[in-house]
Amino acid sequence: MARIAVIGAGMASLAAAARLAVGGHRVVVLERTDGYGGAVGRLAREGFAFDTGPGLLTLPAVYRDLFVKTGKAALEDVVGLAEVDPAARHVFADGTEVTLPNASRSGTVAALDAACGPGSGERWADLLVRGRETWEVMRRPMLEEALPADTRGFARDPYPVVRRGFGPGRGRPSLARVAAAELRDPRLVALLESHLLAQGVDPREGPASAAVLPYLEATFGVWYVRGGVRALADAVYERCRERRVEFRFGASVAGLLVADGRAAGVRLADGSEVPADVVVAGAPLPALAAEAGGSAGAPWPFTGPRGESGRFSVHLALRGSRPEGCAHRTVVHAADRRGALDWLFARRPAPLPPRGGVTVTVLRPDDPATRPDGGHEAVTLTAPVPAHGTPGAPRSVDWNAPGAADGFADLVVAAAEAAVPGLRERELWREVRTPADVERETGAAGGAVPGPSLAGAGGTLLRAANRAPLRGLYAVGGWAHPGGGLPHAGMSAAITADLVAGGPGGSR
């Protein structure tokens, strides 16, 4: 039985701790804050409740597997899961609207044909077929297994038309280029790009392999956790407690203990030490990256943000009931696509985007647990934004600057009125959360939100390997393989637990 120290109590750390405890190890989780869940948080005020992190779940099978492998109660025994149908409503810059059903190819084809013209649905369906081919190539090596020592193969984009040679001209076959060539209609292009944009990646630079993102939603569905996604974090935490995982809150890790060429525990900020045979890092602490080293002296690349974007949220308490039949999720696409992308991914972004330069996702859960009564509604608006940084820092905005947060919140609310007419008249109060708030609460540098690992783009979207160069040190979570997002957190935990157990590292 090994002593295992897990750094951080985010979702990947919790999932890893539960799996490791089942293996008979003595596991202690060290968390710098006074709570668990990491970015999967909850805001409660005056009878309203909001998820402050992800509001929807994809690939719930990852968490079903976690609960099957770590105890008797299944996932659905401890949380309520509901399919979100329709999966999404989209409002485009020209006023076109389309509502897409959950996991229905024929329904999606019919909806797109009706909204965007005959043939639109088939073009979209054909692209998702290529997304499926890409998923079949990527799934095992990129999501279900540990990274190989040589990752150069992942630098190449596995999207089918890219593999066969793509179009005239030079340059990397980005998602935007593939979308323009295959979908042609700017509304369909915006629909595809929104999936990558939501991950904080520029579709003009991101790989065509990102077509797997809409494919996964269309195939495996979109799910809501009753009471909010925070209920999933509560359930995983309780599973850890059932497996006798020890939690130490307010325990900030300052460094790594190393003995005989392997990790020997961690050093806390108060000077105390926690001996361990294995250390699993769920947070990209620079000290760990430096101390882990590498075979050639290079630091282990578990260092957090590399130009990632953040997420801006506006939580709205509204008077008036939620209209029957309205979509749980609506995406309001930017009127000025180019201006929106130029602002979001500029090296020196202005404090605010150009007029019409923001894409907003509106979440309106039909859940009594989120509102004080039937005469009110809880709505969350989110938008990808530059991370938080000091004035002049590259790829960032000083979200603490006077007027920055309030000014952007007003833009977001104004854009969201295309999805919720009369939104501002219904507003009782709002809570605004910027990347600066995320940084303060979670410790993520700049409040950046890691996206999933994707093949292509020269390998720039790969994360640190789960096994560090230093023996006995491992990594889980969004800054480690296979990247950010709730499903990936669970996959990362499964891969790492298998590595610790002496296996090859696999989430199957």
Side-chain angles (χ1 to χ4, degrees), residues 11-242:
M11 290 298 288
S13 293
L14 294 176
R19 287 183 179 272
L20 291 166
V22 168
H25 303 297
R26 196 167 71 214
V27 182
V28 56
V29 175
L30 307 166
E31 167 58 41
R32 59 181 284 273
T33 72
D34 60 359
Y36 57 86
V40 183
R42 182 179 178 85
L43 167 66
R45 175 181 163 187
E46 299 174 16
F48 293 89
F50 309 86
D51 281 317
T52 59
L56 295 171
L57 176 66
T58 56
L59 294 177
V62 173
Y63 287 92
R64 291 190 180 109
D65 180 73
L66 171 66
F67 278 80
V68 165
K69 300 289 177 56
T70 59
K72 293 181 179 180
L75 175 64
E76 278 87 350
D77 292 334
V78 293
V79 299
L81 284 182
E83 284 192 83
V84 176
D85 198 8
R89 172 183 169 223
H90 289 263
V91 179
F92 298 104
D94 66 353
T96 301
E97 297 185 14
V98 61
T99 300
L100 302 179
N102 198 351
S104 170
R105 180 189 183 279
S106 60
T108 297
V109 168
L112 288 174
D113 279 349
C116 301
S120 301
E122 284 300 330
R123 291 200 299 275
W124 179 258
D126 289 345
L127 182 137
L128 292 192
V129 168
R130 290 185 280 277
R132 183 198 67 208
E133 294 179 41
T134 305
W135 169 247
E136 291 170 350
V137 172
M138 290 173 52
R139 178 176 181 174
R140 178 167 292 182
M142 288 205 65
L143 299 176
E144 296 182 343
E145 297 177 349
L147 276 177
D150 185 353
T151 61
R152 286 177 295 181
F154 294 144
R156 295 188 292 273
D157 196 321
Y159 187 77
V161 299
V162 174
R163 296 203 309 267
R164 300 169 193 145
F166 177 73
R170 298 181 179 180
R172 183 177 291 162
S174 67
L175 183 72
R177 288 185 64 207
V178 168
E182 296 192 348
L183 298 174
R184 301 191 289 279
D185 188 309
R187 295 164 295 187
L188 298 182
V189 171
L191 174 58
L192 177 60
E193 290 184 347
S194 67
H195 289 270
L196 191 54
L197 186 62
Q199 305 297 333
V201 179
D202 189 343
R204 300 170 301 186
E205 300 291 334
S209 67
V212 299
L213 301 175
Y215 164 75
L216 291 177
E217 283 198 7
T219 303
F220 301 105
V222 182
W223 300 77
Y224 175 68
V225 181
R226 290 292 179 190
V229 173
R230 174 66 189 187
L232 178 62
D234 294 340
V236 180
Y237 172 71
E238 290 302 325
R239 178 54 54 90
C240 286
R241 289 174 58 87
E242 291 170 12

Side-chain angles (χ1 to χ4, degrees), residues 242-253:
E242 291 170 12
R243 306 311 307 186
R244 301 186 185 279
V245 173
E246 178 187 356
F247 285 85
R248 299 187 193 176
F249 296 106
S252 181
V253 173

Side-chain angles (χ1 to χ4, degrees), residues 12 141-148 278-281 300-302 453 463-470 472-483 488-500 504-507:
M142 288 205 65
L143 299 176
E144 296 182 343
E145 297 177 349
L147 276 177
V278 171
V279 175
V280 177
W300 180 39
F302 187 56
S453 293
R463 302 294 177 181
N466 302 105
R467 193 202 307 267
L470 181 71
L473 178 61
Y474 301 85
V476 295
W479 308 113
H481 179 69
H488 298 78
M491 294 174 184
S492 179
I495 291 170
T496 299
D498 189 55
L499 288 170
V500 172
S507 68

Side-chain angles (χ1 to χ4, degrees), residues 12 19 29 113 215 260 273 295 304 325 345 352 357 361 366 369 410 450 476 497:
R19 287 183 179 272
V29 175
D113 279 349
Y215 164 75
D260 300 324
E273 297 181 348
S295 57
F345 300 106
L352 294 176
T361 297
D366 184 11
D410 288 340
V476 295

Side-chain angles (χ1 to χ4, degrees), residues 262-329:
R262 63 172 296 123
V266 298
R267 183 178 65 260
L268 302 182
D270 63 7
S272 62
E273 297 181 348
V274 180
D277 303 300
V278 171
V279 175
V280 177
L285 302 178
L288 297 185
E291 292 168 357
S295 57
W300 180 39
F302 187 56
T303 52
R306 300 189 304 273
E308 278 84 357
S309 300
R311 184 174 295 128
F312 190 102
S313 302
V314 183
H315 304 291
L316 295 169
L318 303 182
R319 62 173 63 87
S321 59
R322 179 184 187 272
E324 187 149 351
C326 73
H328 185 123
R329 175 178 57 168

